[in-house]
Amino acid sequence: MPATVDGPDFIALQVKDVPAAAAFFEERLGLRRAPASPPGAVVFTTSPIPFAVREPLPGTDLDGDARPGLGVALWLRTSDASALREQLAEADTRDVGPLQDSPFGPTFSFTGPEGYRLTVHGG
């Protein structure tokens, strides 16, 4: 029987400014830091999949013309998409889109640290 993958187990965004990106996720989205993180990274206590921001891996050039993460859809879950959308808009978060209905509940997208496009869904 061939080996298989169970699914995503860890997600990290590579960023040039780890402290600023970590502060964005803490202050605007309410994520909490894990008790320990490896050097050059901040890991958050997210569930069911751990999430982090980290320094770029060797050979990764984040200064290109393309938007970071282009082609990858990163969705974050919340208990109140409408309230979170308003919080982000009031905090002058870039490109906060309109709230839309989806099969996953209300959704909206915004631009996060260093240009990553993020989508939120939930009640």
Side-chain angles (χ1 to χ4, degrees):
M1 176 184 217
T4 62
V5 170
D6 295 330
D9 191 45
F10 186 79
I11 297 171
L13 295 181
Q14 296 181 76
V15 296
K16 293 180 273 186
D17 188 341
V18 172
F24 178 93
F25 284 105
E26 285 179 306
E27 296 166 8
R28 299 210 185 172
L29 300 179
L31 296 185
R32 299 287 174 246
R33 290 179 187 228
S37 295
V42 173
V43 178
F44 298 99
T45 57
T46 55
S47 173
I49 299 170
F51 173 73
V53 290
R54 62 156 296 130
E55 294 173 346
L57 293 168
T60 301
D61 178 11
L62 296 178
D63 292 322
D65 293 336
R67 180 173 45 114
L70 187 61
V72 174
L74 180 56
W75 286 48
L76 305 169
R77 182 181 61 238
T78 183
S79 60
D80 191 338
S82 179
L84 181 59
R85 185 196 170 282
E86 291 306 312
Q87 281 177 215
L88 291 171
E90 289 173 7
D92 293 324
T93 304
R94 290 178 28 210
D95 304 317
V96 177
L99 199 60
Q100 300 177 352
D101 289 327
S102 83
F104 310 105
T107 67
F108 69 94
S109 296
F110 64 96
T111 300
E114 300 190 22
Y116 283 98
R117 194 73 181 151
L118 306 171
T119 300
V120 172
H121 73 97

